Amino acid sequence: MTRNEQADVTLAEKRPDDRLYPDLFSGNGLAERMRTRSKELGTPLASVRAPEGRQRQLYATVPASGGDLQISLGGARRVFLARIWSRGVELAGGKSEDLDEVIAAASLWASGARLRELGARYPFMEIGEISEAYEEGREVEAKWALLLRSDQAEARRLAEEALRFPKLAGLFPYLSHHDLLLSRTTGYPFTRDAPCIRPLLSGGYVVMWPETMETIATVESPRQAVEIVNAALPEQYGPAVPGTADDLGAA
């Protein structure tokens, strides 16, 4: 990440320099400016939300069926940061120095466009590696496929073994510090009530509960580790559903 890119993402930590955004700080903020400018451009945004208080100058949200597009301001130079979030997943993100370009992209997204069309027409918006799979409801399958192609050999071995068990294959897998975890939701925060597997540098695997780090077993092979995880889960556990652990009331 370059120095400029690091500065761009410090918005939440530091208020942007007012002098970079005279059109926003002298008016009613980002959302109002987007609303007015979109009408001038002939692509009126039906809905642009702003937070209450002083933050209204810094943030705007354009709701859409595919996920909310959130816009914020860069901290060290004039740049507009855009992120699309849906059910705990960042589907796309990018930045542009041209507010008109951001407004045009927001208008297209709000109209019901798909991610592929958005990325093709506005390349500054980078689409996540499996975001289209999320859009199509294939995110669990796509995430397992990513693990099977991982540059981490242990991740590949564990994924190959886990996919032998339908119950595990229906859960959403993710890595955290090389540990393999399984979630009942496909968005963050994930559920953490299934055992996880930690490859050991000395060889072998530890199967443990992720919340307490309590060891269930230490075994020699990925197959043994996966079998223990599968046996520890209730018969009706899963499959993973869209959303977050908060949506399920789970941790």
Side-chain angles (χ1 to χ4, degrees):
M1 180 178 288
T2 68
R3 184 173 299 177
N4 277 342
E5 288 173 329
Q6 289 174 328
D8 289 343
V9 298
T10 59
L11 174 61
E13 303 170 5
K14 180 180 178 181
R15 179 182 172 88
D17 189 333
D18 295 16
R19 294 170 296 181
L20 297 173
Y21 306 93
D23 49 334
L24 304 182
F25 285 96
S26 63
N28 293 318
L30 178 57
E32 182 59 32
R33 179 57 182 158
M34 289 183 65
R35 193 178 296 113
T36 301
R37 185 59 179 156
S38 69
K39 293 178 181 177
E40 295 171 353
L41 295 172
T43 56
L45 289 166
S47 177
V48 187
R49 299 198 301 257
E52 296 296 327
R54 297 178 62 187
Q55 299 298 307
R56 68 183 298 105
Q57 294 178 312
L58 311 180
Y59 300 94
T61 299
V62 177
S65 59
D68 288 352
L69 195 158
Q70 302 170 356
I71 304 98
S72 56
L73 310 181
R77 63 191 179 101
R78 184 181 172 95
V79 66
F80 300 92
L81 313 178
R83 299 285 184 269
I84 295 174
W85 282 87
S86 176
R87 295 180 291 188
V89 180
E90 183 177 346
L91 298 176
K95 60 186 177 182
S96 174
E97 297 179 356
D98 185 353
L99 181 58
D100 287 357
E101 183 177 44
V102 174
I103 290 171
S107 180
L108 176 64
W109 182 246
S111 74
R114 306 281 280 185
L115 288 168
R116 180 171 298 184
E117 180 184 2
L118 179 71
R121 290 182 58 178
Y122 299 100
F124 80 92
M125 290 296 292
E126 299 180 4
I127 310 304
E129 191 168 13
I130 63 170
S131 291
E132 289 186 55
Y134 272 100
E135 196 173 48
E136 297 165 2
R138 299 184 296 101
E139 61 266 37
V140 172
E141 174 188 348
K143 191 60 182 287
W144 280 114
L146 275 184
L147 290 184
L148 290 173
R149 302 194 303 270
S150 172
D151 57 3
Q152 299 181 33
E154 293 292 0
R156 295 196 302 271
R157 295 189 189 103
L158 289 170
E160 289 169 359
E161 294 296 337
L163 287 171
R164 296 172 51 241
F165 296 92
K167 189 193 310 180
L168 303 187
L171 299 174
F172 188 81
Y174 65 101
L175 299 178
S176 176
H177 303 291
H178 304 287
D179 295 356
L180 175 66
L181 295 97
L182 302 169
S183 173
R184 291 183 288 126
T185 65
T186 63
Y188 181 85
F190 301 114
T191 60
R192 293 171 59 84
D193 52 6
C196 67
I197 301 174
R198 172 172 295 176
L200 298 174
L201 292 175
S202 58
Y205 303 82
V206 174
V207 182
M208 66 180 75
W209 296 106
E211 284 296 284
T212 64
M213 306 300 287
E214 178 185 355
T215 296
I216 300 172
T218 301
V219 296
E220 295 183 359
S221 73
R223 175 164 296 190
Q224 290 173 310
V226 166
E227 287 174 344
I228 290 171
V229 172
N230 186 66
L233 297 178
E235 191 61 35
Q236 300 304 315
Y237 190 91
V241 296
T244 71
D246 295 335
D247 297 330
L248 294 183

